[in-house]
Amino acid sequence: MDITQLSTWQQLETQARQMRGRHLRQLFAEEPQRAARYSLELPEFLFDYSKNLVDDEVLVNLLQLARDTDLEGLRARMFSGAPINGTEGRPVLHPALRGGLPDPVELDGGPVADLVETELGRLKEFVNLLHNGGVTGYTGRRITDVVNLGVGGSHLGPEMVIGSLRAYRRDDVRVHFVSNVDGAELADVLAGLDAETTMFAVSSKTFGTTETMTNARSALRWFGELAPREAVLQKHFVAVTASPEKAREFGIEAQRVFRFWDWVGGRFSLWSAIGLPIAIAVGFDRFRELLDGAASMDRHFHEAPLEKNAPVLMALLSVWYCTFMRYPAHAILPYEQALHRLPAYLQQAEMESNGKSTTRAGEEVGYATGPLIWGMLGINGQHAFYQYLHQSPEVVPADFIGSVAPGHDLEGHHEILLANMLAQSQALMNGVDREQVSAGLAARGLGEKEIEKLAPFKVHKGNRPSNTILLRRLDPRSLGALVALYEHKIFTQGAILQIYSFDQWGVELGKGLAAALQPQLESGELHHQDASTAGLIDYYQRVSKGAPAPEPAS
């Protein structure tokens, strides 16, 4: 369908123009119970969406848009295992990895739940053996360090979760991450490790990703003369992949190849065997709690009515701002040190999913399909880019994320942290007008001329929308629910905006070009290159061969 021709869509366009003339202060004044009415309390957190530029009339139309675009039908198809990843002909079943399907699903003649539980059982057995000292290297010493070699979804998810669960990390086996094909990262990690007690987890869906396999081959060479190549691969390498035969061809023992499936997108795969580093870092039981938290959000997304459905409401607000209000960016602002990698993780999850310009019908879209996602830890951001959030002409909606219980026992820190989070969302909402600024400056003893000169610079217009997600505490279960909340938000956005959220063809073009450019970069023999690329390769060749730098201009 052409959704822009829906009467609901056109009403929302009109309402967006009208809402630009209203202020959040006005909305709160008109509805004293707004905060209570526009909040949802779930088992793991409170979701407060009251500081958004919407009223009941807007929400009614947004919810109707979800129904008009058959969100509920597409949601049912996803949970049933239908191939909703249309360009690749695949189901989208990451909820199955955590027991989040409402009904049994069979693929390839067997129950998906059985496949998942079998692999989780293998994962549990290996992780427990590792923690008990039963996994040893070639020389018989127990493995004390595991280096995850992956990139994208095989890296960001596990790294984010382990950082987020810092309070639950075990200290008997350390986990490290290498994703960059720039050898500096691998060299830095290896510099502090002992080859006899180190194991590498090669995590790649295809087991052919250039960056990951280059790092794997370099890791293999790092062992030097410790043992024959075959013995090193058997004792110091495990694989996590949807292509187990390729891992075995590489030389990794079959019993140390852990599998996931092509119906799991890389950026939604941390719940699968890709979560091996998580299970190692916090123990398998905590990993299972993470899965259980995500499954609870799956049930909420599947069962809750749209108007009380947290992922749906978050997605509708995102569509409202990006597509109708024309706000092109969205900030993720955690006020929790452990969540420092969450903005980067959500940036990949959303922008790789909904950064599309073609509808499911193969037509070019005529509207924005997703915002630019960015952000960082809130306290650090306050001293970095909040100036932009408060006073730039551009409006950037934001998600503030914190927790009631601190992840430490240092007195006084947490209250300061949360006070800052609440103050920033309040300041973005209310701002401070010319009259308030002038009164404040007068109270400081400034004269009329000084006030007239300084006041314009201190005005904050406010009216900057935000959500606040306040966890009871940051633990494996609540983290699982939080990540699944955003996963289902992403699905809902794509469903409403008529795009395929689960392919990633935009990633493939650059990979293909890089593969063709690499031999030309090495040899200097150029074939069919544009003038800029040819010039850059020429410069690389000259400098790498010792050409002197030009004399500075006089």
Side-chain angles (χ1 to χ4, degrees):
M1 69 175 75
D2 181 356
I3 56 176
T4 64
Q5 299 305 307
L6 292 170
S7 61
T8 311
W9 184 282
Q10 292 165 14
Q11 290 174 47
L12 285 164
E13 290 275 22
T14 300
Q15 288 176 316
R17 290 191 293 270
Q18 294 168 345
M19 191 57 72
R20 291 188 190 99
R22 304 187 72 186
H23 200 287
L24 282 164
R25 291 194 301 265
Q26 177 188 356
L27 296 177
F28 272 87
E30 292 172 355
E31 176 52 81
Q33 299 302 313
R34 182 180 176 86
R37 291 183 62 240
Y38 287 6
S39 292
L40 287 177
E41 186 169 351
L42 301 180
E44 294 84 11
F45 56 79
L46 174 71
F47 170 51
D48 177 357
Y49 61 100
S50 61
K51 298 189 187 76
N52 279 288
L53 282 164
V54 293
D55 56 18
D56 287 351
E57 289 75 19
V58 170
L59 284 173
V60 164
N61 274 331
L62 286 171
L63 289 162
Q64 187 58 47
L65 181 64
R67 295 185 177 99
D68 290 345
T69 52
D70 195 28
L71 167 63
E72 292 160 306
L74 195 62
R75 179 182 62 184
R77 294 186 69 223
M78 178 182 74
F79 279 112
S80 72
I84 66 168
N85 177 352
T87 66
E88 297 178 299
R90 294 173 180 170
V92 175
L93 280 175
H94 50 274
L97 300 170
R98 57 238 189 176
L101 298 184
D103 299 300
V105 171
E106 291 201 4
L107 288 177
D108 300 324
V112 166
D114 290 353
L115 292 175
V116 171
E117 283 303 317
T118 296
E119 210 60 26
L120 283 174
R122 296 184 64 232
L123 207 68
K124 178 179 181 178
E125 182 180 8
F126 178 78
V127 169
N128 288 341
L129 192 65
L130 181 66
H131 284 301
N132 292 332
V135 178
T136 60
Y138 180 75
T139 63
R141 294 171 63 189
R142 68 173 291 174
I143 296 297
T144 60
D145 293 88
V146 175
V147 181
N148 188 76
L149 305 177
V151 70
S154 302
H155 163 78
L156 274 172
E159 183 189 46
M160 178 275 293
V161 171
I162 291 173
S164 299
L165 299 181
R166 55 173 296 281
Y168 298 86
R169 286 201 297 256
R170 301 175 58 118
D171 58 8
D172 53 342
V173 181
R174 295 176 294 271
V175 177
H176 314 266
F177 288 91
V178 174
S179 63
N180 201 334
V181 75
D182 184 339
E185 185 178 35
L186 181 61
D188 285 347
V189 170
L190 296 182
L193 301 181
D194 183 340
E196 293 186 26
T197 59
T198 298
M199 175 173 284
F200 292 88
V202 185
S203 299
S204 171
K205 186 172 184 176
T206 63
F207 220 76
T209 308
T210 300
E211 300 91 334
T212 300
M213 299 316 298
T214 299
N215 282 328
R217 287 187 286 271
S218 293
L220 186 57
R221 287 192 294 271
W222 176 66
F223 285 93
E225 302 301 319
L226 176 69
R229 181 182 188 276
E230 294 77 11
V232 168
L233 283 165
Q234 290 174 7
K235 301 293 282 186
H236 292 269
F237 280 77
V238 298
V240 182
T241 181
S243 303
E245 67 288 344
K246 291 186 179 179
R248 293 192 293 268
E249 288 171 10
F250 187 76
I252 299 175
E253 280 194 326
Q255 64 186 24
R256 291 196 175 181
V257 177
F258 299 97
R259 186 182 179 190
F260 64 112
W261 302 271
D262 66 2
W263 40 261
V264 180
R267 55 196 175 279
F268 303 102
S269 65
L270 69 85
W271 323 100
S272 70
I274 285 292
L276 172 64
I278 303 170
I280 292 171
V282 301
F284 187 85
D285 289 345
R286 298 295 192 188
F287 181 62
R288 177 67 86 168
E289 290 173 18
L290 178 83
L291 304 187
D292 290 344
S296 74
M297 183 55 63
D298 295 333
R299 289 189 292 273
H300 169 76
F301 177 58
H302 183 261
E303 297 168 5
L306 299 188
E307 63 274 12
K308 295 292 184 182
N309 195 305
V312 171
L313 289 168
M314 285 187 74
L316 291 174
L317 290 167
S318 181
V319 170
W320 171 244
Y321 289 130
C322 184
T323 307
F324 292 99
M325 297 287 280
R326 312 293 199 268
Y327 299 158
H330 189 100
I332 306 294
L333 308 172
Y335 278 72
E336 186 85 35
Q337 176 64 36
L339 293 174
H340 69 285
R341 292 296 286 162
L342 184 65
Y345 174 78
L346 293 179
Q347 182 181 67
Q348 185 210 21
E350 184 159 336
M351 294 178 72
E352 195 167 85
S353 297
N354 291 339
K356 309 287 171 59
S357 59
T358 306
T359 70
R360 295 196 294 267
E363 304 290 337
E364 187 171 354
V365 301
Y367 46 83
T369 58
L372 182 156
I373 302 294
W374 62 290
M376 67 185 302
L377 287 171
I379 286 292
N380 293 348
Q382 289 177 200
H383 298 272
F385 56 78
Y386 275 37
Q387 167 63 46
Y388 184 95
L389 297 184
H390 283 289
Q391 289 188 310
S392 166
E394 296 293 336
V395 174
V396 181
D399 290 349
F400 289 89
I401 305 169
S403 63
V404 174
H408 57 81
D409 57 3
L410 297 175
E411 187 177 347
H413 286 251
H414 198 60
E415 291 75 14
I416 295 172
L417 181 72
L418 279 188
N420 273 273
M421 183 182 82
L422 299 179
Q424 291 295 331
S425 67
Q426 186 180 62
L428 287 168
M429 175 180 72
N430 289 328
V432 58
D433 61 24
R434 180 68 173 261
E435 183 179 348
Q436 293 170 305
V437 168
S438 298
L441 293 174
R444 288 169 46 195
L446 274 68
E448 188 174 328
K449 287 186 177 180
E450 291 173 295
I451 292 173
E452 188 69 22
K453 179 180 179 181
L454 187 56
F457 299 97
K458 296 177 72 68
V459 169
H460 293 57
K461 292 181 180 179
N463 215 29
R464 312 295 174 112
S466 66
N467 299 308
T468 299
I469 299 171
L470 194 55
L471 306 172
R472 288 177 174 270
R473 65 173 61 251
L474 180 57
D475 59 20
R477 186 177 179 88
S478 68
L479 180 64
L482 179 68
V483 175
L485 168 74
Y486 277 95
E487 287 182 346
H488 293 314
K489 172 207 169 191
I490 291 164
F491 163 83
T492 301
Q493 289 169 277
I496 291 170
L497 296 172
Q498 306 289 289
I499 58 175
Y500 286 122
S501 296
F502 298 101
D503 58 22
Q504 54 184 56
W505 300 110
V507 177
E508 303 303 322
L509 176 60
K511 287 183 179 180
L513 291 174
L517 277 170
Q518 182 182 338
Q520 297 183 42
L521 194 64
E522 292 170 349
S523 68
E525 297 178 6
L526 305 184
H527 305 287
H528 310 296
Q529 296 301 336
D530 60 87
S532 173
T533 304
L536 292 167
I537 292 176
D538 177 69
Y539 179 78
Y540 169 81
Q541 284 285 324
R542 287 188 289 107
V543 173
S544 65
K545 292 176 180 176
E551 293 294 327
S554 57

